[in-house]
């Protein structure tokens, strides 16, 4: 079995691997976090600890899932707030975790309602032995508007509270950002101005996942009503990657330490977040669906990827994709690539024909008798919708031609994805 | 052991049917939809399931097939829609029958009434026999505005659906529900009524605008060597009394079944499910030419039936049958408590005045020499499966309507 060093340093703290539980129901007590450590997670962000005076009062039920055909948990909606255990108990758990797992990283997520709360919580978690602080500035379902994403969208408050945390503790600190904002850069810069050492993102996306057609309210139904609340899981991955990319390419943030969050469930997802600039990774939804054991395949898959890439230090992969994601106006628009059909794979379902006609440029014709498509290059624009709908992966990029009057060498155009289908 | 006989295999749930529907490639001009003898459109109803429109899926099935819940269970789909399925190019075909069963079960649970009687045109058709072809003909005629009277010599309607196909494959309550749907539309079913005995054919013709003979091949063939032997029973008799008693019958210690079609598989599987320990089937065909559907053969094998392929009976002495192989130099002698013959069925068309050769009409189509009398089902030329019976039922009704004129605003 492959064994490679997955360790990485993040904000001055050494992680044996980049995989962490995110601050959520999956890290709600000592026993849960200890089990996660035992199963191989490198770090845990303990469920957000709030001030003594904020009483958590949860609804029941509190989750919902978005499905598609037979696939459960395409996305996950969650109404739970911060840790419901008493402050003392949470602090005692942090302390015990650090004592029993000295080589693992224990991160305290905290959330206050005012500067005093933030100072005090920061002091308390450092005293309890946490290695790192994460400021939760982003939970979208708090019952107080002085907490959560209402704070995280206000750069002034973000800076003020970051400064407060830094007054209360000298621990490395990351500010957890909300995606419920058009541009995350001003909030992230405010956090850094307030003393944050890095950014964790994304928290959940405000959502209504499903509507009950009889009761005429959203799910989950809480005694006849429901609320907007956070959405997570695979469906939010593209949104998370976009925010991380935009942070990493903002002027002055090129080396920003990021803990990436948002729909990670496979090693491929993990690599995507790393290539986009994440140093550590945080996971909740897939753990809620499958359990802590998923870390085994994420770690092993990541090791095989490093081996294939000839990389011995995980840090060498961080941010490698950032430079290859450019503004739309900077893309090469001088050529088009025609799809090519692999007749050994084609099973004659006609999906390419339907999608090309109804969703593209009517460039595929259909032979009823032999049940095979033909591509008409005079109409084909090279959009490759046909390749995406083909159920057997029989359509791939074929001949490349320069558009009329454009310069360039078709031989040198790079369009082939290596992703497994 | 009757529980095993009485229990149908579990069907899909909403989650699992969606998983199966998601495997469907949603083909253009889908081959499955061109492969159904009854012109069912699986591509359309599976697409409806995929987009969570189960009621729409039920409409697609039911508007085309009055026995959709029955066909879902008994149709040899491996020979039709599933044989044509493009998914086979990847792995295995979509379980079209299973999806159809989910949809029709949903239709029943939702108490949908999709089929409606048309505005009355004042004409009436008599149908002799209430098997699948007669039932479908009744529905098509009712939709066109005809009055319909079905005459059934048995105590229950449904023909082979009620008296032939075993409970674990086709539960009686499904058949009852399909028939109730048809009587709710306005069909009159006269039970325990034999034409030629209780009512004459001439009387029926006088009272109706047309008569359809849909009597089916309801009697088992018997080879001369098996006649007048107490150990011998026909498959038709065995399956009928077993289903009527819901499996509560006196069981033989062991049994030989002769035949290699679906009926033979039904008999051997029924015997095994009821607890008969030793069941041996002898089939004329070898496995590479077997007549029973792969599904029914696999079902029999899963129950542990011994199947001797390529063997024909050579002689019988009481309970002891000697078989010889058709091609190899091989003889086998087996003694059994019970010997059941499933070697094909014949037609009893006494007193109906119709001409048949080898159990079916000498000419193609549904007309007879008598312009008022039509035939359908097994006695019409063509395949003898339920799905063909349904299609023939639709076609004979259409033909009668085209002759009688019906509602011209159709």
């Amino acid at each position: 079995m492959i064994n490679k060093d997955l360790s990485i340093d993040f904000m001055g703290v050494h992680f044996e691997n980049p995989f962490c539980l995110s601050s959520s129901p999956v890290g709600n007590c000592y026993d849960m976090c200890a089990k996660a450590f035992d199963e191989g997670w490198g770090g845990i962000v303990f469920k957000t600890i709030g001030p003594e005076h904020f009483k958590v009062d949860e609804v029941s039920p509190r989750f919902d899932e978005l499905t598609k055909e037979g696939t459960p948990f395409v996305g996950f909606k969650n109404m739970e707030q911060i840790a419901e255990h008493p402050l003392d108990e949470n602090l005692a758990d942090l302390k015990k975790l650090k004592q029993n797992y000295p080589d693992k990283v224990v991160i305290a997520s905290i959330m206050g309602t005012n500067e005093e709360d933030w100072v005090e919580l920061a002091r308390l978690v450092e005293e309890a032995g946490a290695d790192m602080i994460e400021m939760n500035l982003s939970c979208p379902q708090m019952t107080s508007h002085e907490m959560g994403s209402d704070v995280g969208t206000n750069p002034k408050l973000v800076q003020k509270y970051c400064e407060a945390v830094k007054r209360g503790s000298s621990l490395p600190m990351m500010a957890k950002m909300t995606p419920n904002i058009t541009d995350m850069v001003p909030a992230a810069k405010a956090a850094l101005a307030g003393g944050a050492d890095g950014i964790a993102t994304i928290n959940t996306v405000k959502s209504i996942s499903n509507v009950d057609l009889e009761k005429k309210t959203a799910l989950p139904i809480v005694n006849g009503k429901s609320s907007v609340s956070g959405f997570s899981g695979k469906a939010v991955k593209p949104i998370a990657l976009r925010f991380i990319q935009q942070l990493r390419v903002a002027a002055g943030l090129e080396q920003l330490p990021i803990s990436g969050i948002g729909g990670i469930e496979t090693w491929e997802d993990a690599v995507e977040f790393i290539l986009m600039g994440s140093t550590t990774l945080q996971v909740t939804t897939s753990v809620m669906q499958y359990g802590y054991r998923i870390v085994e395949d994420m770690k092993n898959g990541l090791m095989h990827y490093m081996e294939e890439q000839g990389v011995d230090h995980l840090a060498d992969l961080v941010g490698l994709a950032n430079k290859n994601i450019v503004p739309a106006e900077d893309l090469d628009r001088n050529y088009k690539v025609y799809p090519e059909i692999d007749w050994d794979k084609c099973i004659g379902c006609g999906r390419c024909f339907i999608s090309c006609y109804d969703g593209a440029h009517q460039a595929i014709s259909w032979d009823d008798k032999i049940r095979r498509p033909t591509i008409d290059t005079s109409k084909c624009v090279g959009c490759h919708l046909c390749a995406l709908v083909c159920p057997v992966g029989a359509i791939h990029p074929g001949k490349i031609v320069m558009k009329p009057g454009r310069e360039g060498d078709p031989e040198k155009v790079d369009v082939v994805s290596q992703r497994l289908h | 052991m009757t529980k095993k006989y009485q229990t149908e295999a579990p069907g899909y749930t909403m989650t699992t049917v969606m998983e199966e529907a998601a495997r469907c490639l949603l083909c253009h001009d889908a081959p499955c939809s061109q492969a159904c003898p009854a012109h069912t459109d699986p591509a359309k109803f599976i697409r409806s399931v995929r987009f969570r429109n189960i009621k729409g899926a039920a409409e697609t099935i039911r508007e085309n097939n009055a026995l959709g819940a029955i066909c879902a269970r008994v149709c040899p789909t491996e020979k039709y829609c599933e044989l044509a399925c493009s998914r086979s190019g990847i792995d295995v075909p979509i379980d079209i029958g299973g999806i159809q069963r989910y949809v029709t079960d949903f239709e029943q649970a939702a108490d949908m009434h999709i089929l409606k009687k048309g505005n009355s045109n004042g004409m009436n058709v008599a149908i002799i026999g209430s098997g699948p072809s007669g039932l479908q003909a009744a529905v098509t005629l009712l939709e066109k505005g005809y009055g319909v009277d079905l005459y059934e010599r048995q105590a229950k309607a449904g023909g082979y659906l009620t008296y032939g196909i075993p409970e674990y494959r086709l539960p009686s309550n499904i058949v009852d529900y399909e028939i109730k749907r048809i009587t709710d539309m306005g069909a009159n079913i006269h039970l325990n009524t034999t034409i030629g005995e209780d009512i004459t054919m001439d009387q029926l013709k006088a009272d109706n605008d047309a008569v359809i003979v849909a009597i089916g091949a309801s009697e088992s063939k018997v080879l001369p060597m098996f006649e007048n032997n107490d150990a011998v029973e026909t498959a038709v008799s065995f399956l009928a009394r077993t289903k009527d008693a819901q499996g509560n019958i006196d069981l033989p210690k062991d049994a030989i079944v002769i035949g290699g079609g679906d009926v033979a598989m039904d008999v051997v599987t029924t015997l095994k499910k009821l607890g008969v320990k030793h069941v041996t089937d002898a089939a004329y065909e070898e496995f590479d030419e077997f007549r029973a559907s792969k599904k029914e053969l696999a079902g029999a094998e899963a129950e542990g039936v011994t199947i001797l392929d390529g063997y024909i009976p050579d002689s019988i002495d009481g309970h002891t049958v000697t078989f010889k192989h058709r091609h190899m130099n091989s003889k086998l002698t087996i003694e059994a408590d019970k010997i059941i013959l499933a070697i094909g069925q014949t037609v009893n068309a006494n007193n109906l005045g119709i001409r048949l050769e080898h159990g079916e009409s000498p000419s193609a189509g549904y007309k007879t020499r008598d312009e008022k009398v039509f035939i359908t089902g097994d006695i019409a030329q063509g395949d003898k499966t339920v799905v063909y019976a349904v299609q023939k039922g639709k076609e004979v009704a259409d033909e009668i309507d085209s002759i009688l004129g019906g509602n011209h605003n159709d």
Side-chain angles (χ1 to χ4, degrees), chain B residues 33-71:
Chain B
S33 294
Q34 298 163 26
C36 177
H39 306 305
T40 300
D41 190 351
K44 180 149 175 61
F45 76 72
I46 296 172
R47 179 151 50 91
S48 293
V49 170
R50 170 80 162 264
F51 295 104
R52 299 180 67 86
N53 178 19
I54 314 298
K55 287 191 173 179
E59 287 172 342
T60 297
I61 294 167
R62 186 59 66 188
E63 283 171 2
N64 178 69
N65 186 340
L67 306 178
I70 291 168
C71 283

Side-chain angles (χ1 to χ4, degrees), chain A residues 67-72 345 347-351 353-354 366 368 371 391-392, chain B residues 15 18-19 22 24-31 34 50 52 86-87 89-90:
Chain A
T67 62
K68 183 166 162 49
E69 292 118 24
T71 309
K345 286 188 182 169
I347 57 170
C349 70
R351 289 287 296 274
F353 166 70
I354 293 173
W366 179 253
D368 285 338
R371 294 195 63 83
V392 291
Chain B
T15 300
M18 195 57 76
E19 285 173 2
C24 173
L25 304 175
L26 304 181
C27 294
H28 169 67
D29 191 18
Q34 298 163 26
R50 170 80 162 264
R52 299 180 67 86
S86 297
R87 180 81 204 196
I90 300 176

Side-chain angles (χ1 to χ4, degrees), chain B residues 38 272 281 331:
Chain B
K272 273 286 186 180
D281 178 71
K331 276 197 174 187

Side-chain angles (χ1 to χ4, degrees), chain B residues 62-130:
Chain B
R62 186 59 66 188
E63 283 171 2
N64 178 69
N65 186 340
L67 306 178
I70 291 168
C71 283
R73 291 167 164 84
V74 305
C75 189
T77 47
E78 71 189 43
K79 293 175 182 164
Y80 305 121
C81 52
E82 292 177 19
L83 179 65
C85 178
S86 297
R87 180 81 204 196
S88 304
I90 300 176
D91 43 35
V92 291
I94 306 303
D95 176 15
I96 297 173
I99 295 177
Q100 180 165 330
R101 178 178 155 193
Y102 177 83
V103 172
T104 51
D105 285 353
F106 179 98
E107 174 197 20
Q108 182 175 340
D111 196 24
M112 293 175 72
H113 297 274
I114 295 166
L115 300 175
K116 302 268 191 298
K117 187 177 184 342
N119 291 331
S120 174
N121 62 17
M123 289 187 271
N124 206 74
V125 177
I127 301 173
I128 306 171
S130 65

